[in-house]
Amino acid sequence: MILKGSFFSNVLQMETNITIVAPNNFNSVKAYKVVYLLHGLCGNSGDWVNYTMLPVYAYNYQSIFIMPEVGRSFYSDMTYGFKYFSFVTEELPIICKNVFNILSEREDTAVIGCSMGGYGAIRNGLKYHDTFGYIGAISAALLIDDLHNWGEGDDLLSSRSFAQSCFGDLNKVIGSDMDPKFLIDDLIANDIEIPKIFMAVGDNDFLYDENIDYYNYLKSRNVDVEFRCSSGEHTWEFCNDY
């Protein structure tokens, strides 16, 4: 079952698109596990349906997949833009639970993303550790360490003005709750259970170094993380495999 539509978000104060995939044998009486599935920088809420075998996975694993649309926000409450972080983490789950019979325990809730969505999954999952039991990050855009070095140029992913529109003062991002390393250290310092983390990246992905760096950081903190690296680039074929 594939549902595509839009609804009015009070947080965003506008209509926003959403795609939902449920098992083909969906039973309205049954309560389902839920995955919030996040798109990348150039994508939209329909990408995972368009480019992967997601309907098959929904059936095989008897789970509901919810895919919001956040533009190029990096799933942040943008300094110059919309409050997409608050929308995805606070408003969206409430709306979806009012419509679908979704299990509410953290062990039944996951957040997964690719590229920009991989960063969003890690940040959302760690910040809302009491909601999410599982985090999946595929080819994650873990660019926080380099943000303050960005300049102006033709490449959107190295444009300082674009980064500032999402994150604000780039010199203050590291050590804030936008920094995935800080979030890990904060949970450890407060003896809070960290969601189980899965990461995957291709050996020819332009984000390979950033993913290796974060994986090594997690291991240095004795965090439970499953990491996969195989032949591949920053493609939907790689995302589908993992």
Side-chain angles (χ1 to χ4, degrees), residues 3-201:
L3 305 175
K4 295 184 178 182
S6 64
F7 66 95
F8 185 84
S9 163
N10 287 316
V11 169
L12 303 176
Q13 282 295 295
M14 69 175 186
E15 288 279 329
T16 184
N17 295 325
I18 190 169
T19 301
I20 296 173
V21 174
N24 278 339
N25 59 347
F26 177 77
N27 184 337
S28 61
V29 177
K30 177 182 176 180
Y32 286 88
K33 296 181 179 181
V34 61
V35 179
Y36 293 90
L37 197 54
L38 311 182
H39 68 76
L41 183 71
C42 299
N44 59 55
S45 66
D47 279 1
W48 288 96
V49 174
N50 294 335
Y51 301 119
T52 73
M53 296 289 289
L54 184 61
V56 175
Y57 307 146
Y59 177 81
N60 288 346
Y61 296 101
Q62 290 296 293
S63 299
I64 291 177
F65 291 80
I66 296 170
M67 291 151 280
E69 191 160 307
V70 305
R72 296 185 166 192
S73 67
F74 264 84
Y75 294 86
S76 66
D77 282 348
M78 302 176 73
T79 300
Y80 304 110
F82 297 100
K83 295 186 179 298
Y84 281 112
F85 182 69
S86 297
F87 163 65
V88 170
T89 57
E90 298 173 14
E91 184 180 30
L92 182 65
I94 293 174
I95 291 172
C96 291
K97 287 175 183 178
N98 286 336
V99 176
F100 292 96
N101 192 3
I102 293 173
L103 294 166
S104 58
E105 299 300 318
R106 70 189 300 271
E107 59 263 29
D108 299 314
T109 308
V111 57
I112 300 173
C114 69
S115 196
M116 179 185 79
Y119 164 78
I122 290 173
R123 186 194 175 197
N124 291 359
L126 295 178
K127 179 71 174 177
Y128 286 83
H129 51 83
D130 53 345
T131 298
F132 300 105
Y134 303 90
I135 297 170
I138 304 171
S139 304
L142 295 164
L143 303 169
I144 294 301
D145 288 347
D146 299 326
L147 282 179
H148 62 284
N149 292 323
W150 287 12
E152 292 301 336
D154 296 331
D155 182 4
L156 179 66
L157 273 179
S158 62
S159 165
R160 190 172 185 85
S161 59
F162 167 68
Q164 288 173 327
S165 74
C166 295
F167 300 107
D169 186 343
L170 303 185
N171 294 315
K172 296 182 179 179
V173 173
I174 295 177
S176 75
D177 70 1
M178 292 180 283
D179 178 354
K181 292 179 179 177
F182 168 82
L183 288 169
I184 285 291
D185 289 342
D186 187 54
L187 294 180
I188 292 172
N190 289 284
D191 197 26
I192 296 173
E193 182 181 4
I194 297 172
K196 293 182 179 179
I197 300 173
F198 173 86
M199 295 180 65
V201 68

